[in-house]
Amino acid sequence: MTGRTGRAVVLEEFGRPPRLREFPLPPAPAGGMVVACGYGGICGTDLHLQQGHLDIPVPLVLGHEGLGVIRELGDGLCQDATGAPLAAGDTVMWASSLACGVCPPCRLHREPTLCERRRTYGVNRALADGPELSGAWADHIVLQPGTTVIKVPDGTDPLAAMSLACAGPTVAHALYERRPVRLGETVVVQGSGPVGLAAAAFAQLAGAAKVVVVGGPAGRLERAAAAGIGDVHLNIADAADPGKILREVRAATGGDGADLVIECAGVPAAVGQGLTLARRGGSYLIIGQYTDAGDTLINPHQIVHRQLDVVGSWAFTGAHLVEYVRLLPALTARFDLASLVTPFPLERHADALTAVADGSVMKAVLTS
């Protein structure tokens, strides 16, 4: 594949619009592959990266969630993470991060999401480190040895798969390992972005008796309801009296509060509110505070009086991506995930970023 080039969206400087650039397309590395990256999702984290809210090297190609078709396999790579054979032309998804395997969280604590030297496509792989095409906002990406790659089930709509490409594995980690949803539970989800909708959909699949989504603005809640995600939808984002909405949430749980409240809003003030929405003896699972958005006041009496289990969950591993992809047939059979996605050609990356920032789309995906 030498002599060919690939286009990619590059963050060159914090606070400045990314730029579409062209790079040489290298051969597949031994144990890795080159993928024609037809779909690159825009995550809320990407906005924080552009604004310099996270410590990352620049310049780099953005995009930590993607789906594409294998163009070339490197020597020694013939299977995906499940053992299924791989060949050029297969449609795959890949985990964004590789853990080092030797730091204390990896080696001693069995917590690879907390790896001290985690390398993540589209986040901390600078152009200078090579290869340049190491992000999903591109028409090609070079995947390194050790990357978790899994074939996408035949017949899966790529846009449906991309709707929760980062949120789905993130929630798989939270609900599989940190605090599972139990049969018959009442669940409240704070936040109606992709992470919130993934949490609500997974809770429904897991057998929750009722799922209440509290978020906003109204358009997001309407799209969630139309897609079949959530049983009750309450708009706190546009409410003149948030306290009234919180009372409606509690009423929707039967009055005593939810068995499990899942915070996916990413707004610090939501945490204090969410603690009041769980029943006594219930659980509060925090997923949404991925970026440090600042401090908030909470009442610790709410934790003690309610005897709450408060649990945090950070990111995901390749195993959680595998779980998400395996769930895609069940998810797409029950929920209209593709309706959540607005595609933008790679050339319109600036428009896509603006739409994500102003909330006019639920999920933007760059296509090439």
Side-chain angles (χ1 to χ4, degrees):
M1 300 185 75
T2 55
R4 299 191 57 183
T5 60
R7 298 177 306 148
V9 178
V10 178
L11 178 63
E12 297 179 328
E13 186 179 344
F14 296 128
R16 304 284 296 175
R19 189 162 70 92
L20 191 61
R21 291 175 53 181
E22 195 167 284
F23 299 98
L25 187 61
M33 65 179 69
V34 174
V35 176
C37 185
Y39 303 86
I42 298 179
C43 177
T45 301
D46 292 312
L47 297 180
H48 293 292
L49 296 179
Q50 182 195 7
Q51 294 158 7
H53 295 167
L54 296 171
D55 183 19
I56 63 168
V58 291
L60 85 164
V61 175
L62 289 167
H64 58 272
E65 47 182 72
L67 179 150
V69 174
I70 297 174
R71 292 291 301 274
E72 181 186 0
L73 289 171
D75 292 341
L77 183 61
C78 58
Q79 295 180 331
D80 75 356
T82 69
L86 287 176
D90 286 341
T91 299
V92 295
M93 297 182 76
W94 54 92
S96 54
S97 296
L98 285 80
C100 74
V102 297
C103 69
C106 286
R107 186 178 68 249
L108 301 178
H109 305 149
R110 298 180 296 280
E111 291 285 2
T113 59
L114 305 182
C115 173
E116 296 170 356
R117 293 188 290 274
R118 199 163 61 130
R119 299 296 307 281
T120 303
Y121 296 108
V123 175
N124 62 3
R125 291 181 171 270
L127 296 184
D129 297 338
E132 295 95 344
L133 295 168
S134 293
W137 293 7
D139 55 20
H140 288 82
I141 185 171
V142 181
L143 300 181
Q144 298 301 311
T147 303
T148 299
V149 177
I150 182 168
K151 291 171 67 172
V152 176
D154 291 342
T156 302
D157 182 339
L159 293 180
M162 288 301 301
S163 66
L164 306 175
C166 180
T170 298
V171 171
H173 176 211
L175 295 188
Y176 185 84
E177 294 183 41
R178 303 299 292 158
R179 203 309 192 165
V181 173
R182 298 167 186 141
L183 287 174
E185 286 192 319
T186 298
V187 177
V188 167
V189 176
Q190 294 177 277
S192 51
V195 176
L197 297 194
F202 280 31
Q204 288 173 274
L205 281 186
K210 179 185 282 188
V211 176
V212 181
V213 179
V214 52
R220 286 196 166 195
L221 294 171
E222 290 165 3
R223 293 186 78 166
I229 299 175
D231 301 303
V232 178
H233 306 82
L234 296 171
N235 186 351
I236 197 168
D238 300 326
D241 181 5
K244 177 176 180 293
I245 302 301
L246 294 174
R247 290 191 292 274
E248 290 181 14
V249 175
R250 288 186 61 82
T253 69
D256 294 328
D259 300 292
L260 172 63
V261 180
I262 310 175
E263 186 280 314
C264 305
V267 179
V271 176
Q273 295 174 345
L275 291 172
T276 71
L277 299 176
R279 66 166 173 83
R280 297 188 74 183
S283 299
Y284 191 55
L285 176 60
I286 304 175
I287 307 175
Q289 307 294 323
Y290 195 86
T291 301
D292 187 348
D295 297 333
T296 188
L297 290 174
I298 64 170
N299 183 345
H301 175 68
Q302 293 291 341
I303 299 172
V304 176
H305 172 68
R306 295 176 189 281
Q307 196 168 295
L308 299 183
D309 292 325
V310 180
V311 181
S313 186
W314 175 262
F316 64 91
T317 70
H320 304 120
L321 173 72
V322 171
E323 289 161 4
Y324 169 64
V325 173
R326 282 174 161 170
L327 277 174
L328 278 173
L331 286 166
T332 55
R334 182 162 179 177
F335 308 110
D336 185 7
L337 298 185
S339 69
L340 305 176
V341 176
T342 303
F344 292 82
L346 198 61
E347 296 82 1
R348 291 185 56 206
H349 57 88
D351 295 336
L353 278 169
T354 298
V356 173
D358 66 21
S360 59
V361 300
M362 175 69 77
K363 179 68 179 181
V365 173
L366 299 176
T367 60
S368 59

